[in-house]
Amino acid sequence: MAKRVGMEVALAVAEAVGQCNIDMAAVYPITPQSHIGEHLSDLVADGKIDAEFVTVESEHSAISAIIGASGTGARVYTATSSQGLMLMHEILPIASAMRLPLVMGIANRAVSGPLNILNDHSDIMPQRDSGWISIFVENGQEAIDVSIQAFKIAEHKDVNLPVCVNIDGFQLTHMVEPVEFPDQELVDKFLPPRVPFASLHPSNPVTMGAFAMSDYFTEILKAKDEALKNSKKTILAVWDEWAKMFGRTYKPVETYKADGAEILLLTMGSMGETAEIAIDELRAKGMAVGLVKLRLWRPFPFAEIKEVLKKAKKVLVTDRAVSFGGPGGPVCGEIKAALYNEAERPAIYSYIIGLGGRDVTVGDFTSMIDKVNREEVNTDTYEFLGVRE
Amino acid sequence: MNIVENFDLFAPRLINKKELLSGGHRACSGCGEVLAVRLMCKALGENTVIASATGCMEIVTSMYPTTAWEVPWIHVAFENAAAVASGVEAGLKALRRKGKIADCDIKVVGMAGDGGTMDIGMQALSGAMERGHDMLFVCFDNEAYMNTGIQRSSGTPMGASTTTAPAGKVSMGQKTWKKNMAEIMVAHNVPYVATACPSYPLDFIRKVEKAKKVKGPSYIHCFSVCPTGWRCPSDQTISLGRLAVETGIFPLYEVENGKYKLSAEMPKKLRPIKEYYKSQGRYRHLGEDEIKMIQDRVNKEYKKLLNKVQCLEAWS
């Protein structure tokens, strides 16, 4: 029987990774990720997991070292946040091009400047086009579940791609939540040992990370794009299997009271739970509103998003990052692109919220929806929620 | 018959006949670096995994869909060869301990040029050496960013003309002294540090073999003549490597557990650096005063090295 305990989410993530029989982890400290790395090193120090824990001198070396280890066929993990993720940026597309399975936990945090340690999504957004599978979680339980699922997805023979698990910094990582750890026996059944397609071993010498000019480059990039798009099938199959084994369901796009809603609010990450309360309040007042929670950021779930959004009259997209001098919110840009070719499509409103850890309350959500309802905001621009000008 | 003559007679026959860096790569004619890499592979043997930095050696050996490598080889980026190598080492160690791969010794080797070692790769190398991974790191030093077109690095010697530190009406080219990378590695207290040059193939092979046997981090700084970048005839690669050693510009020595030892190849009396400079276009602009200034420094540095050899001999 799975045990239900109260635990800080960062520690729970490390525990979950510890259940996955990893061989190697390389982590560099950064707030608010550090508790994941610290607890993982505790598990190694106490002999609870048999893995090499490499205390690298930077995040750049963390990602480089896990690529090297993944090349040997090892199951590998790292975790980071904000500036650390930005430092890794150069290496991220190389990892996906090399088709090496890696799992990375990201305690999402605002990117400097100005320096700020609190939560938003400005660290993951610049990594959008790196060719990684990118999944958002909403609470501690999801952080545990997706951290385990990520290994299975990454290492699947049809995928072989790196996966990042986005866990809102502080808002999630530092919360103590009631969580349930799956039984080790079931995790072992769910996640068999990795079978690498090639590995760095003298018994069969391979060349990894070769140099390619214009005669092959386009083909290699197209193959990566196909692999990432194709990974959705595996992601869905893994979530199906998880639901059957552990009773908790995961979908690329989750909905809450969205049936018959004329206005849909869209969130990504931990704010979904606050938004649910706002939806409850407005539904109680008789307003036809619902919530859409985007879980799978890459590969982007175009079909699911279209299906859920196209019948609404208005969609209010919230973004926790800014594409400066561009369309405003990067998520909103994607939603607009997904719906452009639909004959019937909703009006789309863009709000940028919760930057650098600024609170977004239930009242903020209800007032945003209220403004959209009364058409006090335009569809051709974007608003910074509560900004002092 | 002395020991050195013994070496000359018999040692070449003991060299691994197998080519682990195969021919058909795209290196320039007269490339001292690719020769050094080939010799290194012979010394390492088949139970080796190499992590290479971006640079000449990566470009000329791994043009997709071909490869010159007969040993497992990985390239990720420019500055992180040591970090990748440390990950490979950690991965293999864990898999071996857990019985997931065969229980045999595999030497992990990181390699980079002078830029990838001394400039952009310095942090990753320092970290890997400090953490004590069981790995060898070899810097193939051709004294500038040759792959990108002969730009200066911290490995470029004083007075050399490069494309970003060119000689001009008011400039003598490189205005800084070459970074002493081997000393920086010695300061990491790693068990084995050596300098080498493929112009002395047996010495280089012996040093690689020695480093291979070390359990823990080791470092070899390999002087690699680059005719393209040094503006010298490509048939002078070997003789220029010898001259660099014989003039004391690049002395050959080992530091084993902190103890300095001059290699047998070092002459009793150094030749003047002028002899080394004369066939290289990168030094063509230097006048007598400048050469004298550099000669003084070379003499001083060599004396410093000899002092270390003697002092540390006395201590032990």
Side-chain angles (χ1 to χ4, degrees), chain B residues 78-92:
Chain B
F78 193 6
E79 67 279 55
N80 63 357
V84 174
S86 63
V88 170
E89 187 262 357
L92 290 173

Side-chain angles (χ1 to χ4, degrees), chain A residues 312-332:
Chain A
K313 289 203 173 89
K314 291 170 182 171
V315 174
L316 192 172
V317 181
T318 60
D319 261 285
R320 306 202 53 199
V322 189
S323 173
F324 298 100
V331 178
C332 189

Side-chain angles (χ1 to χ4, degrees), chain B residues 10-36:
Chain B
F10 302 113
R13 295 189 202 157
L14 301 175
I15 296 174
N16 187 2
K17 297 277 183 297
K18 194 152 181 193
E19 297 294 348
L20 296 170
L21 178 77
S22 62
H25 54 71
R26 293 164 161 82
C28 308
S29 63
C31 175
E33 191 172 355
V34 83
L35 169 64

Side-chain angles (χ1 to χ4, degrees), chain B residues 31-81:
Chain B
C31 175
E33 191 172 355
V34 83
L35 169 64
V37 175
R38 179 179 158 224
L39 294 174
M40 174 187 80
C41 290
K42 282 176 174 289
L44 290 167
E46 282 160 307
N47 282 339
T48 305
V49 178
I50 294 177
S52 173
T54 307
C56 286
M57 289 305 101
E58 172 257 334
I59 297 294
V60 304
T61 59
S62 77
M63 177 74 94
Y64 187 84
T66 66
T67 180
W69 295 97
E70 304 274 353
V71 289
W73 181 90
I74 181 170
H75 157 253
V76 179
F78 193 6
E79 67 279 55
N80 63 357

Side-chain angles (χ1 to χ4, degrees), chain A residues 221-253:
Chain A
L221 263 60
K222 163 92 169 150
K224 175 159 126 176
D225 187 39
E226 289 296 318
L228 188 55
K229 286 194 280 188
N230 199 40
S231 72
K232 203 171 105 184
K233 280 182 216 148
T234 303
I235 295 167
L236 294 177
V238 166
W239 281 343
D240 256 3
E241 193 182 338
W242 186 269
K244 281 183 195 123
M245 284 180 78
F246 302 102
R248 289 182 292 275
T249 58
Y250 287 85
K251 286 190 283 189
V253 179

Side-chain angles (χ1 to χ4, degrees), chain A residues 290-366:
Chain A
L291 176 65
V292 176
K293 296 183 281 191
L294 186 56
R295 176 187 307 290
L296 186 61
W297 174 232
R298 278 294 182 279
F300 192 81
F302 287 99
E304 291 84 348
I305 273 288
K306 278 187 223 172
E307 191 53 41
V308 168
L309 297 184
K310 68 181 182 191
K311 284 179 195 143
K313 289 203 173 89
K314 291 170 182 171
V315 174
L316 192 172
V317 181
T318 60
D319 261 285
R320 306 202 53 199
V322 189
S323 173
F324 298 100
V331 178
C332 189
E334 224 72 329
I335 301 292
K336 283 178 177 170
L339 294 171
Y340 183 77
N341 284 326
E342 296 302 298
E344 271 183 86
R345 59 184 186 215
I348 296 174
Y349 302 84
S350 175
Y351 264 100
I352 289 163
I353 68 170
L355 297 181
R358 183 167 292 188
D359 270 348
V360 181
T361 61
V362 173
D364 287 327
F365 280 114
T366 54

Side-chain angles (χ1 to χ4, degrees), chain B residues 183-239:
Chain B
E183 283 297 324
I184 293 170
M185 288 293 104
V186 171
H188 281 69
N189 276 325
V190 297
Y192 186 75
V193 175
T195 63
C197 174
S199 298
Y200 299 88
L202 300 181
D203 176 72
F204 177 46
I205 286 172
R206 193 184 55 81
K207 282 169 176 166
V208 174
E209 283 171 349
K210 221 167 175 179
K212 187 187 165 183
K213 286 191 193 116
V214 169
K215 286 281 164 233
S218 53
Y219 177 83
I220 295 178
H221 197 92
C222 181
F223 192 75
S224 308
V225 177
C226 173
T228 309
W230 296 7
R231 319 267 193 227
C232 66
S234 59
D235 61 358
Q236 287 189 18
T237 300
I238 303 300
S239 58

Side-chain angles (χ1 to χ4, degrees), chain B:
Chain B
M1 190 187 273
N2 68 29
I3 288 171
V4 176
E5 281 171 347
N6 253 331
F7 250 85
D8 284 345
L9 277 174
F10 302 113
R13 295 189 202 157
L14 301 175
I15 296 174
N16 187 2
K17 297 277 183 297
K18 194 152 181 193
E19 297 294 348
L20 296 170
L21 178 77
S22 62
H25 54 71
R26 293 164 161 82
C28 308
S29 63
C31 175
E33 191 172 355
V34 83
L35 169 64
V37 175
R38 179 179 158 224
L39 294 174
M40 174 187 80
C41 290
K42 282 176 174 289
L44 290 167
E46 282 160 307
N47 282 339
T48 305
V49 178
I50 294 177
S52 173
T54 307
C56 286
M57 289 305 101
E58 172 257 334
I59 297 294
V60 304
T61 59
S62 77
M63 177 74 94
Y64 187 84
T66 66
T67 180
W69 295 97
E70 304 274 353
V71 289
W73 181 90
I74 181 170
H75 157 253
V76 179
F78 193 6
E79 67 279 55
N80 63 357
V84 174
S86 63
V88 170
E89 187 262 357
L92 290 173
K93 194 170 163 189
L95 293 174
R96 191 176 165 189
R97 185 174 65 230
K98 293 165 97 170
K100 293 183 180 177
I101 56 169
D103 187 23
C104 72
D105 280 322
I106 299 167
K107 193 72 188 184
V108 177
V109 179
M111 57 176 271
D114 44 299
T117 303
M118 301 158 79
D119 288 347
I120 201 167
M122 179 84 163
Q123 175 185 314
L125 177 59
S126 178
M129 291 286 132
E130 171 272 321
R131 291 191 299 270
H133 295 277
D134 183 10
M135 62 178 264
L136 163 64
F137 194 92
V138 186
C139 170
F140 295 98
D141 178 7
N142 55 19
E143 304 198 312
Y145 290 92
M146 298 312 183
N147 190 44
T148 45
I150 327 172
Q151 296 85 7
R152 69 81 76 181
S153 76
S154 63
T156 304
M158 174 68 86
S161 183
T162 59
T163 55
T164 52
K169 278 181 188 154
V170 294
S171 173
M172 65 175 279
Q174 179 85 340
K175 292 182 201 66
T176 50
W177 298 105
K178 183 181 176 80
K179 192 187 274 182
N180 193 335
M181 194 60 201
E183 283 297 324
I184 293 170
M185 288 293 104
V186 171
H188 281 69
N189 276 325
V190 297
Y192 186 75
V193 175
T195 63
C197 174
S199 298
Y200 299 88
L202 300 181
D203 176 72
F204 177 46
I205 286 172
R206 193 184 55 81
K207 282 169 176 166
V208 174
E209 283 171 349
K210 221 167 175 179
K212 187 187 165 183
K213 286 191 193 116
V214 169
K215 286 281 164 233
S218 53
Y219 177 83
I220 295 178
H221 197 92
C222 181
F223 192 75
S224 308
V225 177
C226 173
T228 309
W230 296 7
R231 319 267 193 227
C232 66
S234 59
D235 61 358
Q236 287 189 18
T237 300
I238 303 300
S239 58
L240 272 178
R242 285 188 166 258
L243 272 168
V245 171
E246 287 165 0
T247 53
I249 279 182
F250 190 83
L252 300 180
Y253 62 98
E254 291 170 286
V255 187
E256 249 180 298
N257 297 312
K259 197 175 159 187
Y260 284 71
K261 198 176 126 196
L262 216 54
S263 302
E265 283 69 15
M266 290 311 294
K268 286 270 179 300
K269 192 174 180 308
L270 299 181
R271 295 169 73 168
I273 61 168
K274 242 177 159 174
E275 292 181 26
Y276 169 66
Y277 281 7
K278 67 184 174 200
S279 68
Q280 298 182 56
R282 63 174 174 160
Y283 293 121
R284 185 171 43 208
H285 57 284
L286 291 182
E288 288 297 326
D289 290 351
E290 286 147 348
I291 292 178
K292 187 181 174 306
M293 183 262 289
I294 299 169
Q295 180 70 67
D296 288 348
R297 170 85 176 206
V298 168
N299 295 347
K300 215 165 109 189
E301 287 295 318
Y302 193 64
K303 206 172 156 193
K304 236 162 81 183
L305 176 63
L306 292 181
N307 279 342
K308 278 182 201 158
V309 173
Q310 283 153 11
C311 272
L312 289 162
E313 254 170 20
W315 287 351
S316 59

